[in-house]
Amino acid sequence: MKARVTIMLKDGVLDPQGEAIRHALGGLGFAGVSGVRQGKVIELDLAASDAEAARAEVARMCEGLLANTVIEKYAVEIV
Amino acid sequence: MKARVTIMLKDGVLDPQGEAIRHALGGLGFAGVSGVRQGKVIELDLAASDAEAARAEVARMCEGLLANTVIEKYAVEIV
């Protein structure tokens, strides 16, 4: 089973990397990009066969290692 | 309109960051994680109102700046 975790900075947390991308896109002539946020995506190959159990385990991984929940939010998808 | 770009290393390209995560998860007691790949996700706020035009423009951004298409693949979603 595969799980995909998307980790983004929480709304309101400054994202200098996203801001740099926005600025670079403007410099390349892409007008009309009003905001950019960059995050991480982590794809996991899991041995678990039960989707709900897998989702709960991946959430524990996020809380314990993958995300800094003080400033980041995460979403888990089973794919 | 919002677009989400997911950028992953192509299959076969070594992903040391993913490998480090897999190793760390094993060390924390999460057994059964057989593979980890890490990528980037970029969320863009666009002024465009036509979804197909927006998708094409974001693809041009990926080719020109966001992804290194030699080693990375990207997927564009309009959300």
Side-chain angles (χ1 to χ4, degrees):
Chain A
M1 185 169 296
K2 266 184 178 273
R4 182 181 298 131
V5 181
T6 307
I7 300 165
M8 302 293 294
L9 287 169
K10 286 181 179 171
D11 297 335
V13 177
L14 191 67
D15 180 359
Q17 204 170 359
E19 202 48 34
I21 293 170
R22 193 185 62 76
H23 190 255
L25 286 172
L28 287 173
F30 293 105
V33 181
S34 57
V36 178
R37 305 284 285 174
Q38 168 154 9
K40 288 180 281 192
V41 58
I42 299 172
E43 287 185 357
L44 302 151
D45 291 319
L46 300 169
S49 56
D50 177 58
E52 275 318 299
R55 187 185 295 274
E57 189 173 28
V58 173
R60 282 198 303 277
M61 292 177 196
C62 288
E63 297 284 339
L65 177 74
L66 302 178
N68 174 357
T69 53
V70 177
I71 55 168
E72 291 173 329
K73 59 188 177 182
Y74 63 85
V76 178
E77 274 174 281
I78 302 295
V79 290
Chain B
M1 185 171 293
K2 266 183 178 275
R4 182 182 296 131
V5 181
T6 307
I7 300 166
M8 301 292 295
L9 287 168
K10 286 181 178 172
D11 298 335
V13 177
L14 191 68
D15 180 0
Q17 203 170 0
E19 202 47 35
I21 293 171
R22 194 185 62 75
H23 189 254
L25 286 173
L28 287 173
F30 292 106
V33 181
S34 56
V36 179
R37 306 283 285 174
Q38 169 155 5
K40 286 179 283 192
V41 58
I42 299 173
E43 287 185 358
L44 303 152
D45 291 319
L46 301 170
S49 57
D50 177 59
E52 274 318 300
R55 187 186 295 275
E57 189 173 27
V58 173
R60 284 197 302 278
M61 293 177 195
C62 289
E63 297 285 340
L65 177 74
L66 303 178
N68 174 356
T69 54
V70 177
I71 54 167
E72 291 173 329
K73 60 187 175 182
Y74 63 86
V76 178
E77 272 174 281
I78 302 294
V79 291

